[in-house]
Amino acid sequence: MKPNSLTQRPIGVFDSGVGGLTVVRALMERLPNENIVYFGDTARVPYGVKSRSTIETYTAQIVEFLMQHDVKALVIACNTIAAVAGAKVRQTAGGMPVLDVIAAGAQAALATSRNGRIGIIATSTTVNSNAYARAIHAQNPQARVPSQACPLLVPLVEEGWLEHEVTRLTVREYLKPLLAEDIDTLVLGCTHYPLLKPLLQSEAPHLALVDSALTTAEATAAALAEAGLLNPSQTPADYHFYVSDIPLRFQTIGERFLGRSLEQIEMMRLG
Ligand code: DGL
């Protein structure tokens, strides 16, 4: 086992904004002993419509900030960042474990699908990057991976319209081309979509939904165990949240994503 000081270091989790709190929530449940430091780039969200080079620049700043906090592992909670800057983050992190929602989601989708037809819903940048399809095809070249960009869903979730008729009709429209491809599994390829699980399941009850937040928490637990980095301490875990802006209704939205009260928030501008 590694010295306590190393195992007790926090896991660094980051996202373009508050959405990554769905991953933090899953981590808190799966790994209750682990300390977490979160960075959400709320001043520059959304990333899902931005170019690769802009996202790479922002991501490098976030990673540098988290490394200064002596993190023992990094979790890329944002699908868009994982899609276009995942490789760069791994380079910067050296040997440190780096987990991301796309690798974990692709793995879980392959284990779930029976007919090899896996639908992806995500932001425009994630879909254009083809990252999910690449990760799935690397393991099963025969798989069919129809993908649908759903740019309207992030604002609808942030508005809290999780069961609203407008959201239902929007979801129905986005799912049409995927259902036409006879998919049996749907990857929720964006931080915000786990909150839409009940609505998605009611629209397409036969689909198996892959929640990247849950699968990433599972992958993080496995990676920390393998590296001997699990925190054995029984003292209550410490959670620290940094955001680059505190927008209107931040608390309400954040607590919806986190599923509990959001404390220890600090503002930190990068770049
Ligand atoms: N966090 C982003 C993702 O998972 C969604 C929000 C954004 O566009 O920045 O793709």
Side-chain angles (χ1 to χ4, degrees), residues 15-17 19-20 45-49 77-80 123 126 154 189-192:
D15 177 49
S16 55
V45 72
Y47 281 19
V49 289
C78 178
N79 290 259
T80 304
T123 65
T126 300
V154 165
C190 172
T191 45
H192 290 53

Side-chain angles (χ1 to χ4, degrees), residues 252-270:
T252 328
I253 298 173
E255 290 182 354
R256 191 180 300 138
F257 280 93
L258 195 62
R260 62 169 88 181
S261 66
L262 191 53
E263 283 149 26
Q264 298 213 76
I265 307 162
E266 256 181 73
M267 208 175 105
M268 180 62 57
R269 284 211 189 280
L270 301 181

Side-chain angles (χ1 to χ4, degrees), residues 52-228:
R52 174 182 291 268
S53 70
T54 299
I55 296 168
E56 279 179 356
T57 306
Y58 292 171
T59 302
Q61 293 166 353
I62 299 172
V63 169
E64 192 189 334
F65 172 78
L66 289 173
M67 303 277 261
Q68 283 162 7
H69 280 75
D70 276 343
V71 293
K72 64 179 177 184
L74 285 169
V75 176
I76 310 176
C78 178
N79 290 259
T80 304
I81 296 177
V84 303
K88 279 248 160 86
V89 174
R90 287 191 167 82
Q91 271 170 22
T92 316
M96 179 187 303
V98 178
L99 289 306
D100 79 77
V101 275
I102 293 191
Q107 192 69 39
L110 282 160
T112 306
S113 177
R114 288 169 183 274
N115 69 1
R117 291 165 178 252
I118 299 166
I120 310 291
I121 51 174
T123 65
S124 306
T125 301
T126 300
V127 167
N128 290 340
S129 77
N130 226 17
Y132 269 106
R134 269 188 282 117
I136 290 171
H137 284 145
Q139 293 187 55
N140 177 2
Q142 313 303 333
R144 292 192 59 169
V145 192
S147 305
Q148 177 65 45
C150 306
L152 296 175
L153 296 186
V154 165
L156 287 168
V157 170
E158 294 205 355
E159 193 60 30
W161 288 9
L162 306 182
E163 306 272 355
H164 196 287
E165 207 43 33
V166 169
T167 315
R168 181 174 296 281
L169 292 176
T170 309
V171 159
R172 197 170 290 168
E173 204 58 36
Y174 282 144
L175 286 184
K176 257 187 213 159
L178 299 179
L179 294 174
E181 298 261 1
D182 195 26
I183 59 166
D184 70 348
T185 302
L186 180 69
V187 176
L188 312 185
C190 172
T191 45
H192 290 53
Y193 303 169
L195 277 76
L196 293 174
K197 266 202 268 187
L199 191 144
L200 286 161
Q201 203 70 82
S202 74
E203 279 302 304
H206 67 289
L207 291 185
L209 303 183
V210 173
D211 176 342
S212 308
L214 296 180
T215 57
T216 302
E218 210 46 64
T220 307
L224 291 183
E226 197 183 315

